[in-house]
Amino acid sequence: ADRDQPIRIQANSATLDDRSNTAVYTGNVIITQGSMRLTGNRVTLNTDAEGAVSKIVSQGTPATYKQTPEGGSPVDSRGQTIEYLADADRVVLIDDAFLEQDGNTFQGEYISYDITREVVDAGRANSNGGTGGEQDRIEILIQPRKRSEPATP
Amino acid sequence: MPTIPKIPRYLLTAGFIGLAVVLGLSIGYFNIRPASFNDSLTISDPNQPDFFMENNRILMLNEQGTPAYELTSVRATHQADDDSTKLESPRLIFYRAEDGEPWLLEAEHGVVTQAGDQVELTDNVLLQSQNPAQSDRRMTTQALTLFPARNYAETAQSVKIENADNVTNAVGMQVYLNDGRLELLSTVRGQHEVR
């Protein structure tokens, strides 16, 4: 699975901080792990004491997250901020979040995607940063399945 | 045997005296003296070292009198003209101001200048933090300049940083030795193995 592949990072410059186990990469940052591809202008990578990656926060205009798990449906998403949580195997898209999978699209201020189950399992307005007024609702667009097309597993 | 024509005696003595006078004058004039025959070998080559040490150990203290760095090398040659010291396979333990583990620096060659305020290391330079808690981080490059008083080192060369099973390559690096922060200046390529 993607999770067991090495994580490769490309960037223009970086700041590695010994004490806090964080590395901040700046300048068209591209992070890949197997089929997963995360991009952004500024990416903060947190590692645990042993040096294993625990969390990646990518900020961009927009930051993008793509993944095509084998046998699974490819995911293409973007947002101002994208958080990848290694242990939870989850990706959270924040601000102008957009995720597209099998023609279904999710749009809103906050989208949480479970990578292992390949499912968007949470989406809501940003309670603290909401644009006020009418509550922002997540907009989900599910493509109607054509009669001839078999149900995807 | 042909007899020497009879030279009158007074001519002979006058000749001798004249010769002696000429000889005396020429000694004075050409400054001929015993020393001028064995010309001593004085090299006036500018970068002539004035002293060198072998297997030396230099402990450099900072203003507070605590050790700033300890420098050992197979051979250290001091140059009189620019007060620089050339080092053969220098090995430097750099102490961080507050606690924190010291840094180890090694290289094939080094030059200490500005009375110890600048140490240039070249050829297979290794910079390693001796942090037992976290598996130590190794940095290798071909040249690194250390400014002990500023707790800072930098290189414009390509550098490789290994830490546990993560490898990062970059070109140009600035190291803030006290707080253990690295600035990688360009073309950063990292790889984190996943256990």
Side-chain angles (χ1 to χ4, degrees):
Chain A
D2 283 346
R3 269 182 63 91
D4 316 325
Q5 310 272 341
I7 295 176
R8 287 195 176 81
I9 303 159
Q10 284 179 36
N12 288 353
S13 62
T15 302
L16 309 182
D17 192 338
D18 228 2
R19 290 262 162 83
S20 57
N21 287 332
T22 57
V24 178
Y25 298 91
T26 42
N28 52 57
V29 186
I30 301 170
I31 297 185
T32 56
Q33 180 181 34
S35 73
M36 189 267 281
R37 180 186 167 86
L38 182 64
T39 67
N41 303 342
R42 181 186 155 82
V43 177
T44 305
L45 197 125
N46 300 88
T47 51
D48 57 24
E50 287 80 34
V53 173
S54 57
K55 180 177 178 186
I56 305 177
V57 177
S58 170
Q59 285 151 321
T61 48
T64 67
Y65 170 83
K66 293 186 176 65
Q67 185 160 22
T68 40
E70 338 79 24
S73 42
V75 172
D76 187 342
S77 68
R78 59 179 186 266
Q80 296 297 329
T81 304
I82 296 182
E83 283 183 9
Y84 166 75
L85 306 164
D87 303 340
D89 207 13
R90 169 173 303 280
V91 170
V92 176
L93 313 165
I94 301 164
D95 293 342
D96 308 335
F98 171 88
L99 186 140
E100 194 264 331
Q101 184 184 35
D102 282 347
N104 307 331
T105 64
F106 304 80
Q107 213 159 0
E109 288 313 310
Y110 175 91
I111 296 176
S112 170
Y113 173 72
D114 182 320
I115 299 174
T116 29
R117 290 170 34 235
E118 295 170 33
V119 152
V120 169
D121 57 11
R124 59 168 168 64
N126 220 336
S127 54
N128 42 36
T131 50
E134 183 252 323
Q135 188 69 2
D136 289 327
R137 281 200 303 273
I138 181 157
E139 183 196 322
I140 301 180
L141 182 64
I142 311 280
Q143 293 298 351
R145 198 167 302 117
K146 298 178 192 62
R147 281 289 148 257
S148 56
E149 193 189 275
T152 53
Chain B
M1 176 181 82
T3 61
I4 311 163
K6 192 130 182 44
I7 308 168
R9 176 175 286 286
Y10 71 86
L11 253 186
L12 214 60
T13 50
F16 272 121
I17 292 166
L19 191 63
V21 163
V22 162
L23 214 66
L25 280 177
S26 68
I27 288 178
Y29 179 73
F30 291 114
N31 187 4
I32 299 167
R33 46 178 167 50
S36 69
F37 288 98
N38 46 30
D39 47 0
S40 61
L41 214 57
T42 52
I43 305 171
S44 61
D45 155 20
N47 46 32
Q48 161 80 354
D50 54 357
F51 67 85
F52 67 89
M53 303 172 275
E54 286 194 335
N55 301 326
N56 62 318
R57 176 176 167 275
I58 303 170
L59 187 62
M60 189 65 95
L61 304 181
N62 52 31
E63 291 82 13
Q64 295 78 18
T66 54
Y69 62 84
E70 181 192 323
L71 176 59
T72 54
S73 68
V74 167
R75 182 185 168 92
T77 314
H78 183 261
Q79 299 294 128
D81 48 4
D82 59 2
D83 186 25
S84 67
T85 309
K86 287 193 172 55
L87 307 166
E88 295 289 325
S89 53
R91 189 169 187 280
L92 197 139
I93 307 282
F94 183 84
Y95 298 97
R96 297 196 203 207
E98 330 91 61
D99 51 18
E101 289 66 26
W103 292 85
L104 163 69
L105 284 109
E106 275 176 1
E108 282 175 19
H109 306 292
V111 180
V112 182
T113 51
Q114 266 89 32
D117 270 351
Q118 186 169 329
V119 182
E120 263 144 56
L121 298 167
T122 47
D123 303 333
N124 298 331
V125 183
L126 165 70
L127 170 59
Q128 190 164 3
S129 82
Q130 315 274 65
N131 185 342
Q134 200 206 19
S135 53
D136 46 23
R137 166 182 290 184
R138 282 169 52 88
M139 283 158 262
T140 46
T141 178
Q142 283 315 311
L144 185 78
T145 306
L146 170 70
F147 301 92
R150 285 163 44 199
N151 297 313
Y152 169 77
E154 65 181 15
T155 177
Q157 310 256 337
S158 62
V159 57
K160 179 174 175 185
I161 301 153
E162 288 154 302
N163 175 8
D165 35 29
N166 313 334
V167 179
T168 304
N169 287 291
V171 176
M173 174 176 75
Q174 295 169 336
V175 188
Y176 296 88
L177 295 162
N178 255 349
D179 47 26
R181 186 164 50 90
L182 306 184
E183 298 285 349
L184 302 180
L185 304 181
S186 72
T187 51
V188 177
R189 298 290 176 273
Q191 173 152 339
H192 284 256
E193 290 306 325
V194 178
R195 263 185 302 284

